[in-house]
Amino acid sequence: SSSLLYIYIYQTSLIVHLHSQTDNHIHCRLQQKTKMGGVTHLIVFVSMFAAIALMSEAQYLLAVTKDEPSKQYYTTVYIGSAAMTSPVNLLLDLGTNLTWLNCRKIKSLSSLRVVTCKSSTCKSIPGNGCDRNTCLYRQPRPLGKNTVVTTGRVVQDNATIFTTEGEQPVHIAPSRRFTFSCAVEKYLQGMAPPIAGVLALSPGEFPFWRQMTSAYNIIPKFSLCLPSSRYGYLFMGTPSLGGKKTVPMTLTPLKIDSGKYLISVTSIYVDRAPLTLDPSLLEGGAQLSTVVPYTVLQTDIYNALAQAFTLKATNIGMTETPEHAPFKYCFEEGASGKNIDVSVMEIGLPGNGKEVKWRFQGANMVERVSETVICLAFVDGGKKPNESMVIGTHQLQDYLIEFDLSTTQMAFSDPLIFHNTNCSTKPTKKNLENKDGWPCAAHQAQYLLPIMKHEPSKQYYTAFDIGSAEKSYATLVLDLETNLTWLNCRELKSLSSLRLITCKSSTCKSIPGNGCDGKYCLFRQPNPLGKPVTGRVVQDKATFSTTDGGRQLSEVSLPRFTFSCATQGLSLPFAGVLGLSPAGELPFWRQVTRAFNVIPKFALCLPSSVFGVGHFYVGGVNGYIIPPFTGSNNPIPMTLTPLKNIDSGKYIISPTSIYVDGVPLSLNPSLLEGGAKISTVVPYTVLQTDIYNALASAFTLQAKKIGMSEVPGMPEFPGFTPFKTCFDEGGSRRNVEEFMNVPVIEIGMPGNGREVKWRFHGANTVVRVLETVICLAFADGGKKPTEPMVIGTHQLQDYMIEFDLSTTRMAFSDSLLSHKTSCSAWPSRRQDHSHMML
């Protein structure tokens, strides 16, 4: 599983967004109301008088993810010009002075500006050097030894973050001269696969936070709230203050001369009793780190802590077990059950004329390594480490931490669990009724999962928990043709609750493509993203979300969710494929609707951006009067058309004609007889060659009439080879009612006794490949494809699509953009919130 944290940089107060998903789904990410997106959030702030309060705004925004296997936290920065930004994942590091990355991850290098050796920028960078007239950057890697350094050319380009204005939606906020270094790929060794560099957060001259606070003229401070699981956000900016609920913050001085964030430790307590330590061991203070996963202690400090912890653990009935690297002290919980509240550790620090204490307990003190074994989550750093104490991310999770460089102070909260919250807090009914504006809402949707877009692959995926005692967050690609969900079970934390399905069982016999491996049932089916998959069929508990009349979110579980443990895995971030086929007894939607006795139908709303979270509804959705629709008084219309041949395991509709700007294409009717397949894995609609040529010819004719000129040949640009018909926008570049002014494409199909039309325009018909060049977002599938027409996800984005297997019909909305909303937009606080929930 992965997690996101929040960072805030601001002028008069510290804020942290404690709004998140529940334990069973990723929460709403970015609400898109402007061209690039908008947000309204429940936020918690900390004033300069050290308090946090609920509110709903933040100005500068980034997303940060926790890579669970490596325990590394990274954010995504968008680098490049407005027309061609590249998402680059960067490891958060409090010790790096200048952001560095593998610039091969940037799609276009045309806007990069090389920094010269003689420039003031180069001269002010610690560790600078020269290669001819180009400035070089040289610094130790955060995940390597001090002898391992990164070296690369210093460059500048746009870095895009997001900003709000009051309660208005988010806008783009580019820093036009963000300075960073292009390091070579070999320096990424040791980093999680999604990560392509390091985001600098040190107290030096060129860290990311300092460049942003300088660019926007705000006080140099930032804050972190590291979640222990799941996803969250990273914010920077000047929030508005508001709300009533407060959480206290405590101040202590920072020591930053070394290029690190250090605090002065005066003593260490375990269960309120001070450890007996040589005072010289604490003279160096404690360093804070976002790359060290567990707090590292000098051997004498570690041994004193471990001895006190062990004494308390054995007193409450826990028995010591063999060590689990990197932990030396581990315990079988025994009669103590699942009680991880063993010893409480406090670090004494200088405060305002007195000693203050930073308290750690429960999940911040231990790490669970098996269903019944926990370990002391601290590491022995040896007799003579560089620092006697390095506080790692496991101990920082679910605390609010502020670094204020204007006053050289650090502020820290109590454990947020004391206040019935955490850095990825679960909303309560009270939260929902206090009108603080929880943005993630559904109205009478019975079963709800998130939909995320993976931009590099153009795939859409959802996620939910699998497992009983120890849950694992499974990320699964949506596929409308897969009969049985499958995943790489090596991604599950615990296999102890898996139940193997036997060959003779009725469950096995009902699975298309079933087989046997001795006694146990096997599943074999084509893989939508690669080679066929084969694996044993199993059952385990699946946990996701349900709503109560659209007012409250709660967990619900399938005790015996049937799926397959495939022998092959998929590349990150995917663990497998979610089966949504109309055929068979065991696609995911059918297992849910049958288990909870609801109408067999489901709806998808695919977001157009990686910044938004879309909607996957199983069951009824209350007559389509649901967010992202505009509200109960203004429902968005849906159009019905029959589904055909669902026994084939595909969702197929029957096109009767195709129009461009209202004019029908001249096509042989036999070309449309095979129908059009709906797909959630094909990124762009694929057409038989004759259909494609007719569409491209008509589109080109209309495009030229509005001042667009055809670009001869395909522009030499990686990643856009499917497109054959491209244009320089010319005079058509202005948007018309938020739609790009390009020809409109419609698909005619049977309705209620008449032809109905599915209308695609603007961003659903074209894709931008260069700043002034757009291409027709359809692909030529050849003369004799398996299906003459496959409607892909680019065309489905920002439409609500429902598949009703009780009536064998598909319903589709107008483009949600035409109703001033999208699949990742939510009602504003000004609208009626009586029907909303997270």
Side-chain angles (χ1 to χ4, degrees):
S1 83
S2 294
S3 298
L4 296 182
L5 61 80
Y6 309 137
I7 294 181
Y8 304 82
I9 302 177
Y10 49 88
Q11 190 166 16
T12 57
S13 54
L14 172 65
I15 66 171
V16 60
H17 188 314
L18 297 184
H19 163 170
S20 100
Q21 77 291 348
T22 65
D23 293 339
N24 48 34
H25 81 289
I26 298 174
H27 61 284
C28 181
R29 299 180 73 177
L30 283 180
Q31 175 180 358
Q32 297 202 338
K33 289 190 178 181
T34 64
K35 181 178 179 181
M36 294 298 292
V39 294
T40 304
H41 291 293
L42 177 65
I43 290 172
V44 178
F45 75 87
V46 180
S47 75
M48 294 186 69
F49 298 100
I52 310 175
L54 295 174
M55 55 166 304
S56 61
E57 297 176 316
Q59 275 196 316
Y60 299 96
L61 171 64
L62 283 172
V64 177
T65 304
K66 179 184 179 185
D67 181 74
E68 185 61 37
S70 66
K71 311 298 183 184
Q72 294 169 8
Y73 287 88
Y74 64 90
T75 188
T76 304
V77 175
Y78 290 77
I79 295 176
S81 65
M84 189 53 61
T85 58
S86 300
V88 182
N89 296 327
L90 301 174
L91 178 76
L92 293 180
D93 182 28
L94 294 173
T96 292
N97 295 313
L98 180 69
T99 297
W100 60 268
L101 56 100
N102 177 9
C103 289
R104 292 181 181 178
K105 296 292 184 180
I106 301 175
K107 296 176 183 177
S108 174
L109 304 179
S110 60
S111 57
L112 281 182
R113 175 179 176 268
V114 175
V115 175
T116 63
C117 290
K118 296 181 180 180
S119 66
S120 59
T121 298
C122 185
K123 293 176 181 178
S124 62
I125 297 173
N128 71 76
C130 275
D131 178 16
R132 298 184 179 89
N133 191 34
T134 302
C135 186
L136 292 183
Y137 167 72
R138 182 179 175 84
Q139 182 175 289
R141 292 192 303 123
L143 300 179
K145 296 180 180 179
N146 288 337
T147 56
V148 182
V149 298
T150 59
T151 301
R153 295 191 174 187
V154 179
V155 295
Q156 293 178 328
D157 205 341
N158 284 11
T160 301
I161 55 178
F162 304 90
T163 181
T164 62
E165 295 177 2
E167 295 183 2
Q168 297 306 307
V170 165
H171 303 282
I172 295 302
S175 177
R176 304 192 184 282
R177 288 197 175 180
F178 172 51
T179 303
F180 59 98
S181 170
C182 289
V184 296
E185 193 168 359
K186 67 179 181 180
Y187 297 131
L188 301 177
Q189 186 175 2
M191 296 184 188
I195 298 174
V198 176
L199 188 78
L201 295 174
S202 87
E205 291 300 319
F206 274 91
F208 181 79
W209 65 265
R210 191 178 295 277
Q211 292 192 55
M212 292 300 158
T213 54
S214 295
Y216 297 108
N217 193 31
I218 53 180
I219 287 178
K221 58 162 75 172
F222 67 97
S223 61
L224 304 174
C225 197
L226 301 181
S228 53
S229 65
R230 306 294 190 238
Y231 294 84
Y233 299 100
L234 179 160
F235 290 93
M236 296 177 289
T238 306
S240 300
L241 306 184
K244 298 178 181 179
K245 181 180 179 180
T246 62
V247 174
M249 296 286 285
T250 304
L251 297 172
T252 193
L254 277 171
K255 299 191 294 184
I256 60 173
D257 293 341
S258 61
K260 305 171 183 177
Y261 296 97
L262 297 169
I263 53 177
S264 300
V265 179
T266 55
S267 53
I268 300 175
Y269 303 83
V270 175
D271 294 330
R272 299 185 179 182
L275 298 182
T276 303
L277 298 171
D278 184 335
S280 65
L281 293 174
L282 303 180
E283 288 177 354
Q287 178 189 346
L288 282 89
S289 174
T290 51
V291 296
V292 173
Y294 302 98
T295 292
V296 180
L297 302 174
Q298 188 272 352
T299 296
D300 295 333
I301 304 175
Y302 177 84
N303 288 341
L305 171 65
Q307 183 179 6
F309 184 91
T310 301
L311 179 63
K312 173 69 175 293
T314 54
N315 284 341
I316 62 173
M318 300 171 69
T319 56
E320 196 167 348
T321 68
E323 63 185 66
H324 289 254
F327 312 119
K328 294 172 65 175
Y329 289 87
C330 299
F331 304 86
E332 181 82 28
E333 290 175 302
S336 69
K338 294 294 183 286
N339 180 19
I340 60 173
D341 289 323
V342 187
S343 292
V344 175
M345 173 184 174
E346 295 171 301
I347 301 175
L349 308 167
N352 185 16
K354 61 173 182 171
E355 184 183 66
V356 297
K357 293 180 180 179
W358 192 357
R359 179 183 178 96
F360 300 94
Q361 68 182 74
N364 292 95
M365 287 293 292
V366 298
E367 178 74 285
R368 185 174 298 282
V369 296
S370 75
E371 191 168 343
T372 61
V373 176
I374 59 174
C375 296
L376 178 63
F378 292 75
V379 175
D380 184 346
K383 292 291 286 185
K384 294 183 179 181
N386 292 332
E387 287 86 21
S388 296
M389 189 172 185
V390 179
I391 301 177
T393 56
H394 187 81
Q395 278 65 46
L396 297 178
Q397 291 173 157
D398 293 327
Y399 287 82
L400 183 60
I401 313 294
E402 175 197 55
F403 300 92
D404 187 343
L405 281 301
S406 67
T407 61
T408 321
Q409 288 183 311
M410 185 187 84
F412 57 92
S413 70
D414 299 332
L416 296 183
I417 193 172
F418 285 5
H419 303 275
N420 298 317
T421 187
N422 55 44
C423 287
S424 47
T425 190
K426 180 177 179 178
T428 65
K429 185 175 181 181
K430 183 177 180 181
N431 294 140
L432 302 176
E433 293 174 347
N434 67 9
K435 299 183 179 179
D436 279 301
W438 289 96
C440 294
H443 184 65
Q444 309 226 359
Q446 287 179 306
Y447 300 97
L448 173 65
L449 291 93
I451 298 177
M452 285 71 67
K453 182 179 183 182
H454 183 243
E455 186 60 36
S457 64
K458 309 296 183 186
Q459 295 300 317
Y460 286 87
Y461 64 103
T462 190
F464 54 90
D465 286 316
I466 292 178
S468 299
E470 189 166 16
K471 296 178 181 178
S472 299
Y473 205 56
T475 51
L476 304 171
V477 176
L478 300 174
D479 182 28
L480 295 174
E481 292 186 64
T482 292
N483 295 312
L484 179 69
T485 297
W486 61 266
L487 58 98
N488 179 1
C489 290
R490 293 178 182 175
E491 300 292 329
L492 300 180
K493 294 178 181 177
S494 174
L495 304 180
S496 62
S497 58
L498 285 179
R499 174 179 176 266
L500 290 167
I501 300 301
T502 62
C503 292
K504 296 181 179 180
S505 67
S506 58
T507 298
C508 185
K509 293 176 182 178
S510 67
I511 299 173
N514 70 76
C516 274
D517 177 14
K519 180 182 178 182
Y520 298 110
C521 187
L522 288 183
F523 167 70
R524 180 176 174 82
Q525 183 172 290
N527 176 358
L529 301 181
K531 296 179 181 179
V533 294
T534 301
R536 290 189 173 184
V537 180
V538 297
Q539 290 179 333
D540 205 343
K541 184 167 73 171
T543 304
F544 42 94
S545 303
T546 184
T547 67
D548 178 14
R551 293 191 58 81
Q552 187 173 2
L553 186 71
S554 59
E555 287 187 353
V556 66
S557 295
L558 284 176
R560 291 190 174 183
F561 172 53
T562 305
F563 60 100
S564 171
C565 287
T567 54
Q568 301 95 337
L570 297 173
S571 60
L572 291 172
F574 312 129
V577 175
L578 190 75
L580 296 176
S581 163
E585 298 300 312
L586 294 171
F588 177 77
W589 64 266
R590 191 179 294 278
Q591 291 192 58
V592 175
T593 57
R594 182 169 292 166
F596 300 110
N597 194 31
V598 295
I599 294 175
K601 61 181 178 179
F602 66 97
L604 302 174
C605 202
L606 304 183
S608 55
S609 169
V610 294
F611 301 118
V613 170
H615 317 75
F616 177 14
Y617 301 99
V618 181
V621 290
N622 195 37
Y624 319 121
I625 306 170
I626 53 173
F629 295 169
T630 54
S632 58
N633 295 324
N634 187 23
I636 291 176
M638 299 283 281
T639 302
L640 296 172
T641 192
L643 289 167
K644 72 174 188 177
N645 299 335
I646 61 171
D647 291 337
S648 67
K650 304 173 184 178
Y651 296 92
I652 299 174
I653 55 176
S654 302
T656 52
S657 52
I658 300 175
Y659 303 82
V660 174
D661 278 352
V663 179
L665 302 183
S666 296
L667 296 172
N668 184 330
S670 64
L671 292 174
L672 300 179
E673 287 176 359
K677 181 178 76 173
I678 310 296
S679 174
T680 51
V681 296
V682 173
Y684 302 97
T685 293
V686 181
L687 304 173
Q688 188 272 352
T689 296
D690 294 333
I691 303 175
Y692 177 86
N693 289 341
L695 175 67
S697 177
F699 190 94
T700 300
L701 179 65
Q702 296 302 115
K704 289 180 177 179
K705 290 181 180 179
I706 58 175
M708 298 168 63
S709 57
E710 192 170 7
V711 176
M714 181 58 224
E716 305 233 347
F717 198 85
F720 293 95
T721 51
F723 311 120
K724 295 171 61 175
T725 307
C726 300
F727 306 87
D728 191 302
E729 288 178 289
S732 71
R733 293 188 64 187
R734 297 299 92 198
N735 288 356
V736 177
E737 295 180 351
E738 297 189 15
F739 287 99
M740 297 169 63
N741 185 22
V742 294
V744 175
I745 297 171
E746 295 169 295
I747 301 175
M749 60 192 74
N752 187 16
R754 60 185 177 89
E755 184 182 67
V756 296
K757 293 180 179 179
W758 193 355
R759 180 182 176 93
F760 301 96
H761 46 169
N764 291 94
T765 61
V766 296
V767 62
R768 186 176 301 283
V769 297
L770 293 173
E771 188 167 359
T772 62
V773 176
I774 57 176
C775 295
L776 181 63
F778 292 73
D780 185 347
K783 292 288 288 185
K784 295 182 179 181
T786 304
E787 290 93 13
M789 189 171 183
V790 179
I791 300 178
T793 56
H794 188 80
Q795 280 64 47
L796 298 178
Q797 292 173 156
D798 292 322
Y799 287 79
M800 178 65 80
I801 312 294
E802 183 191 79
F803 301 96
D804 189 341
L805 281 301
S806 66
T807 60
T808 322
R809 292 191 297 185
M810 185 185 85
F812 56 93
S813 70
D814 300 335
S815 169
L816 299 186
L817 300 178
S818 65
H819 295 271
K820 310 300 182 184
T821 187
S822 72
C823 284
S824 44
W826 302 95
S828 73
R829 292 179 64 188
R830 296 181 178 86
Q831 291 175 313
D832 178 19
H833 283 227
S834 63
H835 63 285
M836 294 179 65
M837 45 68 64
L838 179 64

